Amino acid sequence: MDTHATGQINAQGASTPNEKATARPTRVRWTIFAIIFVLVVINLIDRVSLSIGMPTIAKEFNLSPTMQGVILSSFFWAYALLQIPGGWLIDKYGPRKIITGSTLMWGVFQTLAAFSTGGLSLLFTRMALGAAEAPLFPAGGKMNSLWLSSKERGRGAVLMDCGGPLGAALGGIIIAYMIVSLGSWRMVFAIAGVVTILLGWISWYYLRDNPALHPKVNQAELAQIYDDKQGVEATAEEEVVPKGIGVPMRSLTAILIGRAAWAMAWFGLLTWGPSYLSNARGFDLHSIGNATFIIFMAGAAGSLCGGFLFDMLIKRGVSHIVALKSLLAFSGLVTLAAFASLPYLSDPVIAVLVLSIASFFLLWGSIYWSFPALLAPKSRVGVVGGTMNMAGSTGGILVPILVGMIIEATGGYNGVLIFFACCAGMYVLGTCLIGSKTIRNT
């Protein structure tokens, strides 16, 4: 047997420590996050399809504003309920299996939504879709802790999360144009579901839980991944299993408050934004698609901007906690000002511009996904991510219903915009209350 050859490649095909340190690093970790990014984009396209189709669906099923709010909210009922169990499953079985199963199942339920016969059956498929999608973001947070060093986690977090506003942007224009072109929201839902099912196979084929076991990763890339752990051999060290969730309760509570408030502003814009443009600004379906594309593309750009600013500050020596709290608080204040100004603007074009500004800065909140990897022990990253996402999902449950009730009570959208501004203020408050000595994985 050629011992030199076997020393170069292990049984799984990954490079071993005998590989020359001068070899050019592979970039598999960024391909991993590119796949997660695509999954999140499709996730949001599937999710936003109902918001875009709701004006048409509401007429077909004769749905009241409150019932529309309940249906839009129903996605988050199971989604929130399964966040912590989903995080536990991710920590136990690994993110690869959970991401694959999640993708396959939400594709199935997105397809079944096309066969809804009324409000109740549509509500059921939305609940099932929420249950299936629940583990995706916590699994992405787990991948962040497994595949990236602390110097790259800001970019990893936003590369994952910016798929959300990009999916909303693409979903807005693609779903609107497909409904108009095909003349059937049902056919559009079915096509989106089948595409999602195909992505489940890609996830299983390429993703891995352990960078050292990926057949395309070389030793030089492993050294970059583990550079803050004094070498690849650190992966073999046994981690002391902490009691409880492994994060100080004060900081965890503050993160949950901040994330829930952020989610109410974001999901409020996502679920009711198209109806606001239609009913308050007089946009037709084509115009809604175009405006939604602009607004959420601004959000995608803002998400990337926040992540790169965060990593840049870390490289310049700013502490993780100071960088995170400063960027997040600033984003919340700008978002608050944008929402508060909208009731006083009569020009619909200016209104779309201001909504785009709000979306850009609000999506700096994507760097919240760096918290689980930075705060929690590796054995608790999935649970911490699931807990954080549960708080966001709870906001997602409440906000569509509350907005529907505000509209019915006031007959307009000005009260809704002030409510979103208040949510932005709570997002700032929760972020500022996070403890200053809680970052551990740096």
Side-chain angles (χ1 to χ4, degrees), residues 7 38 70 97 181 259 306 340:
V38 171
V70 170
K97 291 179 180 178
S181 300
R259 187 65 179 181

Side-chain angles (χ1 to χ4, degrees), residues 66-351:
T66 298
M67 186 59 183
Q68 293 176 54
V70 170
I71 293 172
L72 290 169
S73 168
S74 63
F75 170 91
F76 294 99
W77 301 350
Y79 188 82
L81 185 65
L82 293 178
Q83 285 300 311
I84 294 178
W88 179 83
L89 289 172
I90 292 162
D91 285 333
K92 183 174 179 63
Y93 296 107
R96 181 195 184 201
K97 291 179 180 178
I98 303 304
I99 288 174
T100 301
S102 170
T103 305
L104 291 173
M105 291 304 297
W106 102 60
V108 169
F109 289 116
Q110 176 69 15
T111 304
L112 289 176
F115 299 94
S116 300
T117 58
L120 289 179
S121 57
L122 184 61
L123 184 147
F124 170 77
T125 60
R126 291 296 289 182
M127 287 180 60
L129 183 69
E133 290 189 7
L136 179 61
F137 281 92
K142 183 78 169 185
M143 283 291 197
N144 193 311
S145 72
L146 295 172
W147 277 87
L148 299 177
S149 73
S150 64
K151 297 183 181 69
E152 297 177 331
R153 286 177 184 159
R155 279 168 287 171
V158 300
L159 185 58
M160 174 183 72
D161 208 40
C162 79
L166 180 61
L170 293 176
I173 197 164
I174 291 172
I175 298 298
Y177 276 77
M178 286 181 69
I179 291 174
V180 171
S181 300
L182 298 176
S184 169
W185 62 270
R186 298 177 186 276
M187 188 177 297
V188 174
F189 280 29
I191 292 170
V194 171
V195 171
T196 302
I197 292 170
L198 293 176
L199 285 172
W201 177 84
I202 295 174
S203 302
W204 179 256
Y205 175 78
Y206 199 85
L207 300 183
R208 296 292 186 278
D209 297 335
N210 187 344
L213 299 182
H214 198 291
K216 297 184 183 297
V217 175
N218 68 6
Q219 182 67 18
E221 182 173 17
L222 289 177
Q224 289 187 344
I225 293 171
Y226 301 121
D227 68 344
D228 53 354
K229 302 176 183 64
Q230 290 76 50
V232 178
E233 66 274 7
T235 57
E237 296 178 1
E238 292 292 328
E239 179 184 53
V240 176
V241 179
K243 294 181 179 179
I245 203 167
V247 176
M249 187 54 63
R250 173 193 164 182
S251 291
L252 182 62
T253 302
I255 289 169
L256 299 185
I257 292 171
R259 187 65 179 181
W262 175 90
M264 292 184 79
W266 164 238
F267 289 123
L269 183 61
L270 185 68
T271 54
W272 279 99
S275 294
Y276 167 74
L277 294 172
S278 174
N279 299 326
R281 297 295 178 174
F283 287 22
D284 60 20
L285 192 56
H286 276 299
S287 298
I288 290 172
N290 292 331
T292 302
F293 178 79
I294 293 169
I295 292 166
F296 293 121
M297 279 298 291
S303 179
L304 290 173
C305 177
F308 279 89
L309 281 174
F310 174 61
D311 282 349
M312 182 187 72
L313 291 174
I314 299 307
K315 287 183 178 180
R316 294 189 176 186
V318 179
S319 72
H320 287 77
I321 194 68
V322 170
L324 280 168
K325 291 173 71 170
S326 299
L327 292 172
L328 292 170
F330 179 74
S331 77
L333 291 172
V334 176
T335 302
L336 187 159
F339 279 128
S341 69
L342 277 167
Y344 305 99
L345 302 175
S346 58
D347 189 328
V349 175
I350 299 298

Side-chain angles (χ1 to χ4, degrees), residues 3-21 23 212 214 217-220 222 232:
T3 56
H4 176 73
T6 57
Q8 294 295 319
I9 304 294
N10 66 15
Q12 288 77 21
S15 303
T16 68
N18 291 334
E19 183 180 345
K20 292 181 180 180
H214 198 291
V217 175
N218 68 6
Q219 182 67 18
L222 289 177
V232 178

